[in-house]
Amino acid sequence: MIAVRMFLIMTVITGILYPLLITGVVQLTFPEKANGSLVIVNNKTVGSRLIGQSFDTAIYFSSRPSAVSYNPLPSGGSNYGLTNVTLKKLVEERKQKFLTFNQIASKTVIPSEMLFASASGLDPHISPEAAFLQVDRVAKSRHFSFNQKQKLRQLIVKLSESPQYLCLGEERVNVLLLNLETDTIK
Amino acid sequence: MTINDLIQVFLFFFLLIGITPVLGNFMERVFTGKKHFLQPVLGWLEKLIYSFTGVSQKDESNWKSYTWGLVVFNFIGFSFVFLLQIIQQWLPFNPARFPGVSWHSAFNTAVSFMTNTNWQGYAGETTLSYLVQMTGLTVQNFVSAATGIAVLLALTRGISRKTTDKLGNFWVDLTRSTIYILLPLSILLAVVLVGQGVIQNFKPYETIHTLQGSEQIIPMGPAASQIAIKQLGTNGGGFFNANSAHPFENPTPFSNFLEMLAILLIPAALTFTFGKMAGSVRHGWTLFTAMFILLIAGLGIALYGEYSGSTVVGHIPHMEGKETRFGITNSVLWATATTAASNGSVNAMHESLSPLAGMVAMINIMLGETIFGGVGTGLYGMVIYVIITVFIAGLMVGRTPEYLGKKIQAFEVQMALIALLSPCLVILLFTAFASVSHAGLSGLNNAGPHGFSEMLYAFASAAGNNGSAFAGLNANTLFYNLTLGIGMLIGRFGVIVPVLAIAGSMAEKKITPFSSGTFRTDNSLFIILLIGVILIIGGLDFFPALSLGPVIEHLLMNSGITF
C-alpha cells in the first residue's frame, strides 16, 4: 500500500538520515557547541556556558530568580499571570532581599530581570547593571582590596556582551563565566 | 522601546517581505514540476521515493481520493507515534531510561504532532527518548507541514483548473514539499543554529558539579535537527519543555532572529506561490497585505500592553517569563508571530505576558490561524475568508459572486462556513465545558480571569492547531489530554475536508471571463472588506469570551486587584 510505504520512507529520510546527517556535520564543524558548550576547569566540567546556575553565597554574583531553581529537568517558567497575588508577594520579597543582601540604598532601581523569574528557569545572563549593583557585596565578602575591586568592575565590562551584530538582542553578562573569572582575581 | 528595538522589528519585516517573492517563486517551480536548481542535487531522492512507493507522477485523483490518501497517511503517522511512546522503555536511544508514556498523554501527543499543532502536554527532557523525538516527532514535523501544503495545492488547482475532477497527486505534493522545500531549509537552519550553540548529539545526560558544589544534570540530545523543522514547518513542538526559551534551543539573539524569521517564512512566501499558480500574482500580494496589516496591528497592541507594564507588580516593564538575552521586544514580536502563524513555539512564557499581549496572542489564534497561519493551512484558511467576502460583496451588489473566474455558489459557501465554524465550536463549547467541570478547573495555575484565560487559550490553541499555551495549566491529565486531542482533530480535519470539497467543486466549474462587472479581488477596497469580514465573522464570535478573560483582567490589573 502506498501510504504505508510512503510513511516508511519518510521516516527513514526525515527521522533517521536527516538527524544523523546534521549530527555528523556539526560534530565535525562545531563539536564543542553541539555537545552543550560545556565549561571545563582543571579537567572538571563545572557547567554549561548556556545553562544558568544557582548562586546564593555572598562571594558570587547572583543569577536571576528561577521557577525551577536552575534544575534543568524539566525547564520552565513560573507561569504566573500579572494579577497573581503570589507573584506580587514574590517580587516584593525579592526586592527586599536584593537590597539587604547587597546593602544598597532602598531607592535604587533594581533591574527587572533580578525581580522576575525567567522563561526557561535556566537563563544564564543578567544585565551589566545588575552585576554592578552586586560588586560591593562580592568584593566585601572576599575581602578584596581597592585594586581587586577595580578589577572586578573591569571584568564585568570585559564580559558584557553587546547586542549581537550591532543590533540584535540585549546587553548581558554571563553569570557563570563572571563568577569563574572572579575566582581567578588575585 | 529603544531605537535598537525598532531597528530589529524593521529588519525582521524587511527580510520577510524581501524573501517572500524569491522563495514563493521557487516553490511555484517545484510544485508545478518545472525545472529548478535543486533538481540536479535532490532529483534522485524524489525518484527513489516514487519507485519505492510505486507512485506514478502522472496519476491524478479527484477530491475524494485525495482526501482519502491524506487521511490514511495521517492515521498511520498517528498510530506509529502513539505506539512508539507507549513502548519506548523497550527501545534503544533512551539513555535517560524513561518509562512508557500514559495512553492518554501518548494519544494527545500523537494527535498533536500529526495535526501540526505540537501542543506539548509533556516535558520533552523528562518524558521522551531520543528515538521518539527523532523517528516519531521529527518525522511528523515534516509530513504534517507537507500535508498542509498539499491541501493548499489541491485548492489552488481547484481554482485554476476548469471542468475537471482532478486535483493533483497527494503523494507527489507531499514528496516535493518535503524533499525540495522543508528538508533543504531545515538542513541549512539546523547547522547554523548549532553554530550559535544549539545542541545536536546522542550523548547521555551530563551530570556536573556546579561552582557552588551542587549537582546539576544537563540534558542532551539531537535538538537542532528537530528545532529547525519545528520553526520552518509551523509546528512549534520544542525538544525541551521551555521550548525556544531554553538556552539549548535558542542560545543567542541571532538564533532567535533566525528562528523567528523561520516561523513566517514559508507561510508568507506561499501567498506569492498561490498568486502565481492561481494566475494572479497581484491577488497573492493582496492577501499578503491583508495578513500583514493584521499582524502589525496585533504587534502594536501587544507592544503597547507590554511596555505599559503592570501596576500590580510595580515594575515597568516586567521580565517575568522572559529571557535576558531577548528582552521585551523580541519576546513580544515572537509571541505575535508564533500565534499569527500556527507555529506555537515560544521564547517567552505567554502566560506571564501582560493581559493585552496575551489577548493579541489569543485573537491571532481565534481568527482561524489565517494571519500568515500554518504552512499551507494559513492560506487555505484565508481563502475560506475570501470566499465569504466575495459572497457578501456579491449579495451587496446583487451579482453571482465570482472568485478568480470561478462562480461561488451555495455548496462552496456551506463548506466555507463548516470550515469556519468547526474550530469556533471547539473553542467555545469545550471552554464552557471545562470551566464548569471539576476536571477542567482542577488544572488551573492562576485564579480569577487569568484562570479562565488558561482554559480559553488551551482550547483555542488546540482548535487552531497552534500549540502554544498559557503553560501553567496542568494539561497532562486524562480530561485535558482527551478534550484537547479531540479539539485538535476537529480543528484540523473539520477544515481540511471542507476545503478539499470546495477544491473539488470549483475544479468542475467553467472559468467565467473577467468583465467590467466582476468584483475585483486585488485592490485596496478588497483588502478593507476582507479584513472587515475576518474581524467580524472570525473575531466577534469570541468577544464575550475574551471579555471574561484578558479584557477584564486588564481593567482589574490597572485597579491594582490581585487573585
Side-chain angles (χ1 to χ4, degrees):
Chain A
M1 210 173 141
I2 293 179
V4 176
R5 286 166 167 263
M6 185 58 90
F7 180 73
L8 280 178
I9 193 158
M10 283 296 172
T11 302
V12 171
I13 293 172
T14 63
I16 297 171
L17 297 179
Y18 159 70
L20 288 182
L21 171 77
I22 302 292
T23 312
V25 171
V26 299
Q27 287 292 340
L28 287 174
T29 47
F30 310 106
E32 188 258 334
K33 284 173 172 159
N35 295 326
S37 308
L38 298 177
V39 182
I40 296 161
V41 179
N42 301 331
N43 288 327
K44 266 173 66 184
T45 310
V46 294
S48 160
R49 195 177 312 151
L50 294 174
I51 305 291
Q53 295 182 4
S54 178
F55 292 105
D56 47 20
T57 61
I59 59 164
Y60 286 125
F61 288 89
S62 315
S63 304
R64 292 184 64 179
S66 160
V68 296
S69 313
Y70 286 95
N71 171 11
L73 298 178
S75 53
S78 70
N79 286 308
Y80 289 135
L82 294 192
T83 50
N84 193 311
V85 69
T86 318
L87 177 66
K88 189 182 177 179
K89 238 185 274 166
L90 275 174
V91 171
E92 206 43 55
E93 277 168 27
R94 285 168 188 158
K95 199 174 187 173
Q96 285 311 320
K97 204 181 148 199
F98 192 85
L99 292 173
T100 47
F101 191 48
N102 294 296
Q103 295 159 3
I104 43 180
S106 59
K107 291 255 170 71
T108 317
V109 178
I110 304 170
S112 179
E113 78 274 8
M114 299 313 286
L115 302 180
F116 294 95
S118 61
S120 62
L122 306 173
D123 193 342
H125 299 111
I126 58 175
S127 65
E129 296 80 56
F132 280 121
L133 285 177
Q134 303 182 50
V135 166
D136 283 347
R137 181 254 304 169
V138 173
K140 199 175 162 193
S141 62
R142 285 175 180 259
H143 309 294
F144 273 2
S145 69
F146 182 77
N147 266 346
Q148 287 171 312
K149 198 162 141 184
Q150 280 311 99
K151 275 190 194 163
L152 201 54
R153 286 182 199 281
Q154 285 158 9
L155 203 57
I156 298 176
V157 176
K158 190 185 102 186
L159 289 176
S160 289
E161 299 170 60
S162 346
Q164 206 176 3
Y165 306 129
L166 299 175
C167 68
L168 297 179
E170 306 287 322
E171 204 179 7
R172 62 208 183 275
V173 187
N174 187 306
V175 185
L176 175 61
L177 297 188
L178 178 62
N179 283 331
L180 275 170
E181 294 272 328
T182 303
D183 275 344
T184 63
I185 292 183
K186 298 233 168 56
Chain B
M1 280 181 88
T2 61
I3 299 282
N4 208 30
D5 290 320
L6 287 175
I7 292 175
Q8 293 179 69
V9 174
F10 182 78
L11 189 68
F12 177 74
F13 288 118
F14 180 77
L15 277 175
L16 184 70
I17 296 170
I19 297 172
T20 292
V22 181
L23 181 61
N25 196 40
F26 170 71
M27 289 198 286
E28 188 267 342
R29 299 194 74 84
V30 169
F31 297 142
T32 51
K34 291 179 189 152
K35 280 209 176 93
H36 57 82
F37 78 99
L38 280 181
Q39 241 164 2
V41 191
L42 290 166
W44 61 273
L45 192 57
E46 188 189 357
K47 287 203 192 80
L48 179 82
I49 293 175
Y50 295 150
S51 67
F52 177 77
T53 53
V55 169
S56 158
Q57 282 190 68
K58 298 248 154 42
D59 284 352
E60 296 214 350
S61 41
N62 61 21
W63 83 267
K64 280 180 186 153
S65 54
Y66 198 97
T67 310
W68 179 242
L70 183 152
V71 169
V72 171
F73 180 73
N74 274 263
F75 182 74
I76 296 171
F78 160 81
S79 315
F80 184 74
V81 177
F82 178 77
L83 279 178
L84 212 55
Q85 293 177 80
I86 302 260
I87 58 168
Q88 69 168 353
Q89 71 271 40
W90 297 302
L91 299 174
F93 295 108
N94 185 0
R97 297 181 172 273
F98 293 129
V101 180
S102 74
W103 70 268
H104 49 88
S105 175
F107 163 78
N108 183 285
T109 305
V111 169
S112 168
F113 279 75
M114 171 194 71
T115 56
N116 199 257
T117 311
N118 306 40
W119 168 272
Q120 291 173 276
Y122 62 93
E125 63 268 54
T126 53
T127 315
L128 296 181
S129 70
Y130 297 165
L131 186 83
V132 177
Q133 297 254 29
M134 259 169 54
T135 59
L137 303 190
T138 304
V139 176
Q140 288 304 314
N141 273 289
F142 276 97
V143 295
S144 67
T147 300
I149 295 179
V151 174
L152 175 70
L153 291 175
L155 179 64
T156 312
R157 295 191 191 104
I159 293 168
S160 60
R161 292 177 177 180
K162 54 183 175 186
T163 56
T164 173
D165 65 342
K166 300 278 185 262
L167 288 180
N169 185 322
F170 172 70
W171 309 113
V172 172
D173 292 341
L174 184 81
T175 306
R176 285 184 182 156
S177 322
T178 308
I179 298 301
Y180 294 124
I181 315 288
L182 299 171
L183 198 58
L185 281 173
S186 299
I187 292 173
L188 263 178
L189 184 60
V191 173
V192 177
L193 285 181
V194 179
Q196 293 295 306
V198 177
I199 57 169
Q200 176 77 17
N201 58 58
F202 289 96
K203 295 188 184 238
Y205 290 8
E206 177 97 19
T207 307
I208 57 112
H209 294 274
T210 65
L211 221 46
Q212 280 202 154
S214 54
E215 238 180 35
Q216 192 182 37
I217 300 175
I218 298 183
M220 293 286 156
S225 52
Q226 185 172 327
I227 291 158
I229 183 61
K230 81 140 186 199
Q231 295 304 111
L232 286 161
T234 58
N235 296 285
F239 197 85
F240 302 106
N241 192 41
N243 208 295
S244 277
H246 198 294
F248 274 170
E249 200 153 329
N250 192 1
T252 67
F254 183 57
S255 69
N256 186 65
F257 189 82
L258 289 180
E259 288 183 21
M260 209 155 55
L261 196 61
I263 293 176
L264 291 174
L265 195 65
I266 298 178
L270 278 172
T271 58
F272 187 92
T273 313
F274 173 74
K276 203 160 183 202
M277 285 176 75
S280 168
V281 173
R282 217 181 120 102
H283 177 63
W285 280 114
T286 308
L287 296 182
F288 181 96
T289 310
M291 293 170 170
F292 194 75
I293 291 171
L294 286 166
L295 183 73
I296 297 290
L299 179 65
I301 297 171
L303 282 172
Y304 167 79
E306 215 50 41
Y307 276 99
S308 8
S310 155
T311 44
V312 173
V313 284
H315 222 85
I316 302 171
H318 78 98
M319 285 291 283
E320 185 72 24
K322 299 191 185 74
E323 298 282 297
T324 311
R325 60 195 179 283
F326 307 140
I328 308 267
T329 301
N330 277 310
S331 302
V332 176
L333 182 56
W334 183 302
T336 311
T338 196
T339 49
S342 96
N343 188 292
S345 61
V346 296
N347 75 347
M349 292 299 132
H350 288 191
E351 174 118 45
S352 299
L353 291 173
S354 64
L356 282 185
M359 180 177 76
V360 167
M362 273 192 250
I363 292 177
N364 279 343
I365 299 173
M366 288 165 172
L367 293 180
E369 292 295 10
T370 50
I371 308 172
F372 294 107
V375 171
T377 62
L379 196 50
Y380 65 66
M382 187 50 110
V383 172
I384 293 294
Y385 277 122
V386 169
I387 288 175
I388 303 285
T389 307
V390 296
F391 172 67
I392 290 173
L395 287 181
M396 288 197 277
V397 296
R399 270 182 63 100
T400 310
E402 285 161 21
Y403 176 43
L404 296 170
K406 289 294 176 70
K407 281 200 164 63
I408 301 295
Q409 289 161 310
F411 181 76
E412 285 80 30
V413 177
Q414 281 162 9
M415 288 297 135
L417 282 177
I418 292 177
L420 267 185
L421 294 180
S422 315
C424 294
L425 205 74
V426 170
I427 299 174
L428 295 176
L429 284 185
F430 283 29
T431 307
F433 181 52
S435 49
V436 292
S437 68
H438 176 71
L441 293 172
S442 61
L444 299 188
N445 184 49
N446 285 271
H450 200 76
F452 177 75
S453 295
E454 283 182 0
M455 295 180 283
L456 184 63
Y457 197 112
F459 287 108
S461 177
N465 292 158
N466 183 280
S468 64
F470 274 11
L473 182 74
N474 176 21
N476 196 359
T477 60
L478 182 67
F479 173 81
Y480 278 113
N481 277 331
L482 287 185
T483 49
L484 290 167
I486 293 165
M488 289 185 248
L489 286 172
I490 299 176
R492 178 78 163 177
F493 295 100
V495 180
I496 284 185
V497 177
V499 164
L500 287 172
I502 291 174
S505 148
M506 284 176 95
E508 285 173 7
K509 295 175 195 245
K510 287 197 261 309
I511 289 187
T512 321
F514 186 82
S515 74
S516 60
T518 310
F519 179 68
R520 296 192 67 111
T521 53
D522 58 359
N523 55 17
S524 43
L525 177 67
F526 178 73
I527 294 178
I528 296 169
L529 257 179
L530 178 62
I531 291 179
V533 166
I534 292 173
L535 292 179
I536 292 168
I537 296 193
L540 220 50
D541 295 347
F542 300 106
F543 188 69
L546 290 170
S547 305
L548 293 175
V551 173
I552 199 151
E553 193 194 357
H554 176 73
L555 298 173
L556 292 175
M557 181 185 78
N558 284 342
S559 337
I561 294 173
T562 51
F563 294 90

